[in-house]
Every structure is written in C-alpha cells, then in structure tokens.
Amino acid sequence: MSKLLVVNARVLAPDAHSAPHADLLVEKGRIAAVLPPGTAVADAQTHDAAHRLVIPGLVNGHTHGHGGLAKGSGDKWDLALLLAHAPWISGGRTLEDKRLSTALTAVEMLKKGCTAAFDLPFEFPAPTVEGLDAMAEAYAAVGLRAVVAPMVADLTFFQATPGLIEALPEPHRSRAAAMKAAEAGTILDAIEAAAKAWRHDAKGITLGCAPTIPLHGTDEFLKGCRALAEKFGMKMQTHVGESRYQSAGGAVRYGGATLLEHMDRMGVVGPWFSVAHGVWLTQSDLDLLARRGGGLSHNPGANMRLASGIAPVRAAIRAGVTVGIGTDGSSSSDNQNMFEAMRLAAFASRLWEDAEDDDWLGTAETVRLATAGSAKLLGLDAGTIEPGKPADLVFLDLQHVNWAPLNDAANQLVWTEDGSAVREVMIAGDWKLREGKVLGLDEAKLARDAQNAADRLRGVNAEVRAWCEAVAPHVACHCRALAKGWTRSRRLLKAE
Ligand SMILES: [Zn+2]
C-alpha cells in the first residue's frame, strides 16, 4: 500500500489530556503527517475512523512468552515460590509448545492494544536456535515487534540462593543438589548460533540476551553474556532486585556490593541494558543505572501478585533512568494487558512510602512511560503520534461504555480503559487487528491447540510437579527468613 489517510479520527494528545480531531497520513510504515481534518491528499486510500480514538501502540517493557501456556498456574506464590514451581509450569515443552506459548502471549498483547514487547523466553536446559526461531515466527505471524532475549542461567535457583540446598531436608536436598543448569559455554554457543542464523530483523523482531537474575549466573557467564551482546549489538535485560530475598542473597554473595553493582562490575550495565522490576534498588543503584544510560521496566502487577513490593519509579525518573512499564509473563501477572499495567503503575505510585503528592504518576506521564518509555528499552524510537514515527497505532471505540462520555482522554485511558474498547491495531502501517479480530492467525484453532497442549503437559509434568509441591514450603521458609533478616539490617542502617 502506498499512502493511507486515516480520516475522522480523534488523536490522543496526552499532555493536553485531550483528543482533537486530526487526519493521519501513513506512508512506508510511518506517520508521514498529522493533518487538519479534511485536508486533501492526492493518491491516498482513505480509512474512515469515525468514533475512534487513535493512540500510540502500547509497548510492553517486560514479559515472558513461555508464560502463555502457564497462565493461572499459581495462587499464593511469592517470587521464590514461583521459581520453585518453575520446573513444572514451564517444563516438558516441545518446539510446537514454545511457538504456541509465544503466539498466545503475542495475541493477547495485540488484542489489548500492545504493538511491541521485550520478551524473555525460557527454554530448558538451554536456548536453542530452533526454539528462538519458532518464537520469532510466532511474533511475526501475529505481527508484533519484539526483542526476543533468551532468559539464561548457568546456576539453578537452588544453587543461586545462599543456604537453600543446605536448608532442605532429605531426600529433597539430594535431588535439589543434583539439579544442574547447562554449562555456560553451551548456553552462549546456542545464543551465538541463533544470532548468526537470525532472519527476523526486517520484521522488527530482534534477538537479545537476558541473564535472568544476577545470582543465577557465575561471573564468567555474566561476562560471556555481555561479550556476546556486544558482538551482535543485542539489548540486554535482567531481573534485578525484584524481591527482598534476592537482595539478601546479593548481600551474602557479593561482599558488600549490591546486585546491580555486581552486574556493573561484570560490564553488563550500559545503554543496552535494562533492569526488570528493580523494586529493591537503592538510590545509589538508581544513580549508577542513570550514569550508565540504562533503563528500568516497572512491572507493578507482577510485583503485587508476587508480594515483591513497589518499585521506586519516581526516584528512578529523578535520577535520570529511562523508565518503561511492563506486564511480566503470564505465569506471574497473569494477563498481558498494558492498560491494566498503566492503571496499576499509577495506583501503586500513590502508595510510595514518604511520597509527596507531586511524586505520584499522573495519567499523561503514565501513558508516556508505557509508550515512548518502554519503546526506548527495546531500542525503538516510537510511542508518539508525530511525523516520522512508526505507524504503530491503536484504535479505540469511542462508542464503547468505557468512553461514554469522553471527559478527559488521558485520564480515561489510564483509569477507565481495560483493553475492551480496542477495535483495530496497525503496526508499521499494516493492519494486524480489524474489528477485534487478529488477521494473522486462526484464534479458534489457537485456543484448541492451547487446551490440548496444557492437558498433555499436565501429564508430562505430573511427577516433577509433585516434587515441587513437596519442596515449596521449605523454599518459602528459607527465602522468607533470608528476606526478613535483610529487611531488619536495612532498618537498623536507616535508624543509625
Ligand atoms: Zn520477569
């Protein structure tokens, strides 16, 4: 298609809290012009967007495609319990399961107004060229842009958590001690092979590298991840300071350095790098992250669901950190709804300890974080509706009850909209969703395949699930004790 003129639309102007009428000229995948209504454009097809509010596509700063098949797996789990249960919720997957799980995640994001995502997929025991290719194909079929950054570790959760193996009773201790992650070299070779074979950049799907959690990587491995990312120009993301037991583990392991300071010593922290969560980053961590040009994906839904805490987003912004918003994966949040993530981010900001009224996230600011902010974490110059930006646009039905009446576009986008008014989505100038239907695949078949896969995986993972359930109370007890000790020591420091 050469030129498309979107007419009769209202276009979000978040900072003005308004949505003036404007026509949008889309050409070569980009917004070519924002025009006064009724401007004549030669040789352009027109698209009538009457009763539509056009907003920039929301960008998910942090998710996990492998969570698509695991949604609803847990209830009263904190992060340590989620990790203890990970072997069965993500285990036993075939190549088709990996493709399917990513497709489920991508479809949910698209239908809820998201046009790009930073995805950290997991494959056990190591990433594979075919697995990463299948996940990228799943994104391409749905039409989303993505950074696909394999989530990798050369230490298991049990090895990574100080004192955990020793704290387990037999026979759990022997089984946990016998569990091994893949060798660092095997993992790094697999990512390098995937980078050499990568064929998805033209579709806006790039390969990244995500050493999952600082404690889960040996020094040699973390340095290896950085070297590889540098060689191929990859974006990196790591869960840093997501929960208190991890910060406690860092205090034990890193001789006084914080988790982020340790990652920095390994050379990982730079403009290519973003922190996922960052709930327990210190002020000096935030200053360090800003100095290095790094970013932060704020994932308030997962942080509440896993009882992790509320990230110091205002302090991060004041320090100069690039901040985006994410959902996290469906095994921890459990939906892929960026409208909800915006709402929770703005709500959570009202609960910051010691916050002044000015510290809260306003709605216009929250929209900016969930669009241009997250986009920056992915390396995309996107997230606003202005000439030259990618034509990644979401069309909301102003006749939907969420918008009756339209009082304030920015406030309603964050406070009222829940994704149910999304009718059309355009990515790089091409329609990916029309009248609420995904164009690139058969949604009914996807649902059938998902149910069949989930039913089969329940059987495949039954034995490992029984073991995880037996060991989980011991994990919870140990990690909560670690966290409590660390919190007490922090309080004492504060009181001094
Ligand atoms: Zn995550």
mmCIF file of all heavy atoms in Angstrom, residues 351-368:
data_model
loop_
_atom_site.group_PDB
_atom_site.id
_atom_site.type_symbol
_atom_site.label_atom_id
_atom_site.label_comp_id
_atom_site.label_asym_id
_atom_site.label_seq_id
_atom_site.Cartn_x
_atom_site.Cartn_y
_atom_site.Cartn_z
ATOM 1 N N LEU A 351 1.024 4.766 46.650
ATOM 2 C CA LEU A 351 1.347 4.031 47.880
ATOM 3 C C LEU A 351 2.823 4.116 48.244
ATOM 4 O O LEU A 351 3.264 3.459 49.177
ATOM 5 C CB LEU A 351 0.953 2.550 47.722
ATOM 6 C CG LEU A 351 -0.503 2.301 47.332
ATOM 7 C CD1 LEU A 351 -0.764 0.797 47.215
ATOM 8 C CD2 LEU A 351 -1.457 2.901 48.350
ATOM 9 N N TRP A 352 3.607 4.901 47.480
ATOM 10 C CA TRP A 352 5.031 5.002 47.817
ATOM 11 C C TRP A 352 5.206 5.557 49.220
ATOM 12 O O TRP A 352 4.559 6.543 49.604
ATOM 13 C CB TRP A 352 5.754 5.933 46.834
ATOM 14 C CG TRP A 352 6.042 5.301 45.524
ATOM 15 C CD1 TRP A 352 6.394 3.996 45.304
ATOM 16 C CD2 TRP A 352 5.999 5.938 44.233
ATOM 17 N NE1 TRP A 352 6.581 3.789 43.960
ATOM 18 C CE2 TRP A 352 6.350 4.946 43.285
ATOM 19 C CE3 TRP A 352 5.743 7.227 43.801
ATOM 20 C CZ2 TRP A 352 6.422 5.220 41.923
ATOM 21 C CZ3 TRP A 352 5.811 7.491 42.451
ATOM 22 C CH2 TRP A 352 6.142 6.501 41.529
ATOM 23 N N GLU A 353 6.096 4.929 49.931
ATOM 24 C CA GLU A 353 6.448 5.389 51.262
ATOM 25 C C GLU A 353 7.029 6.810 51.141
ATOM 26 O O GLU A 353 7.804 7.078 50.230
ATOM 27 C CB GLU A 353 7.544 4.456 51.806
ATOM 28 C CG GLU A 353 7.347 4.024 53.223
ATOM 29 C CD GLU A 353 8.478 3.112 53.652
ATOM 30 O OE1 GLU A 353 8.852 2.220 52.853
ATOM 31 O OE2 GLU A 353 8.983 3.325 54.741
ATOM 32 N N ASP A 354 6.677 7.693 52.010
ATOM 33 C CA ASP A 354 7.220 9.064 52.046
ATOM 34 C C ASP A 354 6.895 9.886 50.797
ATOM 35 O O ASP A 354 7.539 10.906 50.558
ATOM 36 C CB ASP A 354 8.758 9.074 52.203
ATOM 37 C CG ASP A 354 9.229 8.222 53.362
ATOM 38 O OD1 ASP A 354 8.492 8.179 54.372
ATOM 39 O OD2 ASP A 354 10.295 7.603 53.267
ATOM 40 N N ALA A 355 5.933 9.442 49.978
ATOM 41 C CA ALA A 355 5.673 10.195 48.740
ATOM 42 C C ALA A 355 4.943 11.503 49.041
ATOM 43 O O ALA A 355 4.032 11.542 49.845
ATOM 44 C CB ALA A 355 4.842 9.347 47.793
ATOM 45 N N GLU A 356 5.384 12.549 48.366
ATOM 46 C CA GLU A 356 4.632 13.803 48.354
ATOM 47 C C GLU A 356 3.617 13.674 47.221
ATOM 48 O O GLU A 356 3.767 12.842 46.339
ATOM 49 C CB GLU A 356 5.573 14.975 48.054
ATOM 50 C CG GLU A 356 6.779 15.075 48.967
ATOM 51 C CD GLU A 356 6.416 15.552 50.361
ATOM 52 O OE1 GLU A 356 5.404 16.269 50.490
ATOM 53 O OE2 GLU A 356 7.126 15.189 51.307
ATOM 54 N N ASP A 357 2.611 14.540 47.220
ATOM 55 C CA ASP A 357 1.588 14.470 46.158
ATOM 56 C C ASP A 357 2.227 14.538 44.767
ATOM 57 O O ASP A 357 1.809 13.858 43.853
ATOM 58 C CB ASP A 357 0.592 15.628 46.284
ATOM 59 C CG ASP A 357 -0.255 15.466 47.537
ATOM 60 O OD1 ASP A 357 -0.117 14.425 48.203
ATOM 61 O OD2 ASP A 357 -1.036 16.374 47.834
ATOM 62 N N ASP A 358 3.237 15.364 44.622
ATOM 63 C CA ASP A 358 3.894 15.546 43.329
ATOM 64 C C ASP A 358 4.602 14.291 42.839
ATOM 65 O O ASP A 358 4.924 14.176 41.670
ATOM 66 C CB ASP A 358 4.956 16.653 43.418
ATOM 67 C CG ASP A 358 4.319 18.026 43.416
ATOM 68 O OD1 ASP A 358 3.082 18.084 43.288
ATOM 69 O OD2 ASP A 358 5.056 19.018 43.530
ATOM 70 N N ASP A 359 4.882 13.376 43.750
ATOM 71 C CA ASP A 359 5.639 12.182 43.378
ATOM 72 C C ASP A 359 4.794 11.169 42.632
ATOM 73 O O ASP A 359 5.316 10.274 41.987
ATOM 74 C CB ASP A 359 6.218 11.506 44.629
ATOM 75 C CG ASP A 359 7.372 12.300 45.211
ATOM 76 O OD1 ASP A 359 7.899 13.174 44.515
ATOM 77 O OD2 ASP A 359 7.737 12.032 46.370
ATOM 78 N N TRP A 360 3.481 11.264 42.752
ATOM 79 C CA TRP A 360 2.617 10.281 42.099
ATOM 80 C C TRP A 360 2.803 10.340 40.587
ATOM 81 O O TRP A 360 3.156 11.373 40.026
ATOM 82 C CB TRP A 360 1.145 10.571 42.409
ATOM 83 C CG TRP A 360 0.803 10.511 43.863
ATOM 84 C CD1 TRP A 360 1.598 10.091 44.885
ATOM 85 C CD2 TRP A 360 -0.444 10.896 44.457
ATOM 86 N NE1 TRP A 360 0.921 10.185 46.080
ATOM 87 C CE2 TRP A 360 -0.336 10.669 45.836
ATOM 88 C CE3 TRP A 360 -1.653 11.390 43.948
ATOM 89 C CZ2 TRP A 360 -1.385 10.922 46.719
ATOM 90 C CZ3 TRP A 360 -2.689 11.652 44.820
ATOM 91 C CH2 TRP A 360 -2.552 11.414 46.194
ATOM 92 N N LEU A 361 2.501 9.214 39.932
ATOM 93 C CA LEU A 361 2.492 9.220 38.476
ATOM 94 C C LEU A 361 1.145 9.763 38.004
ATOM 95 O O LEU A 361 0.095 9.203 38.339
ATOM 96 C CB LEU A 361 2.691 7.810 37.919
ATOM 97 C CG LEU A 361 4.044 7.135 38.180
ATOM 98 C CD1 LEU A 361 4.061 5.740 37.572
ATOM 99 C CD2 LEU A 361 5.194 7.964 37.617
ATOM 100 N N GLY A 362 1.183 10.838 37.234
ATOM 101 C CA GLY A 362 -0.038 11.349 36.615
ATOM 102 C C GLY A 362 -0.385 10.507 35.398
ATOM 103 O O GLY A 362 0.433 9.714 34.921
ATOM 104 N N THR A 363 -1.583 10.701 34.881
ATOM 105 C CA THR A 363 -2.017 9.827 33.781
ATOM 106 C C THR A 363 -1.232 10.095 32.497
ATOM 107 O O THR A 363 -0.835 9.156 31.800
ATOM 108 C CB THR A 363 -3.524 9.969 33.528
ATOM 109 O OG1 THR A 363 -3.836 11.340 33.276
ATOM 110 C CG2 THR A 363 -4.321 9.468 34.716
ATOM 111 N N ALA A 364 -0.998 11.363 32.167
ATOM 112 C CA ALA A 364 -0.253 11.660 30.933
ATOM 113 C C ALA A 364 1.155 11.077 31.028
ATOM 114 O O ALA A 364 1.670 10.484 30.070
ATOM 115 C CB ALA A 364 -0.195 13.164 30.702
ATOM 116 N N GLU A 365 1.763 11.228 32.190
ATOM 117 C CA GLU A 365 3.113 10.691 32.381
ATOM 118 C C GLU A 365 3.102 9.164 32.283
ATOM 119 O O GLU A 365 3.994 8.554 31.674
ATOM 120 C CB GLU A 365 3.653 11.125 33.753
ATOM 121 C CG GLU A 365 5.068 10.636 34.009
ATOM 122 C CD GLU A 365 5.625 11.119 35.348
ATOM 123 O OE1 GLU A 365 4.821 11.359 36.276
ATOM 124 O OE2 GLU A 365 6.855 11.242 35.463
ATOM 125 N N THR A 366 2.094 8.534 32.858
ATOM 126 C CA THR A 366 1.996 7.068 32.804
ATOM 127 C C THR A 366 1.877 6.590 31.364
ATOM 128 O O THR A 366 2.501 5.595 30.974
ATOM 129 C CB THR A 366 0.787 6.601 33.647
ATOM 130 O OG1 THR A 366 0.941 7.094 34.978
ATOM 131 C CG2 THR A 366 0.695 5.098 33.687
ATOM 132 N N VAL A 367 1.082 7.289 30.550
ATOM 133 C CA VAL A 367 0.952 6.926 29.131
ATOM 134 C C VAL A 367 2.318 7.047 28.442
ATOM 135 O O VAL A 367 2.716 6.168 27.669
ATOM 136 C CB VAL A 367 -0.097 7.818 28.426
ATOM 137 C CG1 VAL A 367 -0.082 7.582 26.919
ATOM 138 C CG2 VAL A 367 -1.484 7.565 29.002
ATOM 139 N N ARG A 368 3.053 8.098 28.750
ATOM 140 C CA ARG A 368 4.378 8.265 28.126
ATOM 141 C C ARG A 368 5.324 7.119 28.509
ATOM 142 O O ARG A 368 6.085 6.616 27.690
ATOM 143 C CB ARG A 368 5.008 9.608 28.534
ATOM 144 C CG ARG A 368 4.488 10.805 27.760
ATOM 145 C CD ARG A 368 5.469 11.966 27.820
ATOM 146 N NE ARG A 368 5.841 12.349 29.180
ATOM 147 C CZ ARG A 368 5.133 13.165 29.968
ATOM 148 N NH1 ARG A 368 4.013 13.706 29.511
ATOM 149 N NH2 ARG A 368 5.536 13.454 31.181
#
